[in-house]
Amino acid sequence: MPYGRSSYNIRLGRLRKANNILLLSKLARYAFLGLVGLVIFFFLYFLWVSRDLPTPGKLSNSDIKDSTKILDKNGIVLYSIFKDYNRLYIPLSQIPRNLKEATIATEDKDFYTNQGFSVSGLFRGLVFDPIFNRRATGGSTITQQLVKNLLLTSERSITRKIKELILAVQVDKRFSKDEILEMYLNNVSYGGTAIGVEAASNLYFGKHAKELSLAQSAFLAGLPQAPTYY
């Protein structure tokens, strides 16, 4: 009798083990199918979002026009005539190195090595902020900010964030890092009507951007974080 019971227990154990293996096999199959379905869903979603995206080339033809400058005999700007925004576009070579480095350190420390987007920033923008219904906590790269400012709207939605990501990657492939930085520094808001570093330099310090001191460059580099405060 003990032998029969032992044999029964062995068979029962084997049966349970087989059932467990079968269950795990089914779970693995369902997980695989779910993963494939998720990949297909996101692929189709990206295609749908991409259907009406603006082209990165539009960055070179910004709708923000330069202000009309009235200079004195020494080339100092006396007045800027503009409608809605005051912008004076200048090449990157006329922007102080201190301002460029301070901007990168403040806005996007991995600017010269990333592919146009930040993985951690993307996670916060797509997952953390929507779940907790919070405003963006930062993390957008310089390229993403450029895309949002010139090619998209300020709408807060996952769809807009996906568009921003796609365009940021495209822009990063089409333009050099220096070209992107130049466009950013000439199109970012520095508070009030000042768009770009040259207009901001004139507004806050009454001088050209190339004449900014280290302290003045550091001040301007921090303004895009909260331009409405100034």
Side-chain angles (χ1 to χ4, degrees), residues 107-179:
E107 299 292 336
D108 184 6
K109 61 183 179 62
D110 298 319
F111 172 68
Y112 278 104
T113 57
N114 64 37
Q115 304 302 310
F117 67 95
S118 162
V119 175
S120 60
L122 180 64
F123 177 79
R124 288 197 298 271
L126 292 179
V127 180
F128 187 84
D129 291 333
I131 289 177
F132 292 96
N133 193 29
R134 294 177 53 174
R135 293 177 60 87
T137 55
S140 291
T141 63
I142 284 176
T143 309
Q144 287 176 268
Q145 293 179 54
L146 177 66
V147 164
K148 181 178 68 175
N149 291 339
L150 294 186
L151 299 180
L152 299 174
T153 67
S154 57
E155 172 195 5
R156 291 173 56 199
S157 69
I158 292 180
T159 298
R160 202 274 299 160
K161 198 68 179 178
I162 293 296
K163 289 181 178 180
E164 179 185 301
L165 170 64
I166 296 172
L167 283 170
V169 173
Q170 293 177 349
V171 168
D172 190 75
K173 290 182 178 180
R174 175 160 182 167
F175 298 97
S176 70
K177 289 294 187 179
D178 283 347
E179 288 174 327

Side-chain angles (χ1 to χ4, degrees), residues 51-52 55 74 92 97 111 121 131-132 136 151 170 173 183 188 193 207 212 222:
R51 73 193 189 285
D52 58 352
T55 61
N74 298 314
L92 193 64
R97 179 179 178 180
F111 172 68
I131 289 177
F132 292 96
L151 299 180
Q170 293 177 349
K173 290 182 178 180
M183 288 186 287
V188 68
T193 58
K207 60 173 65 175
L212 291 172

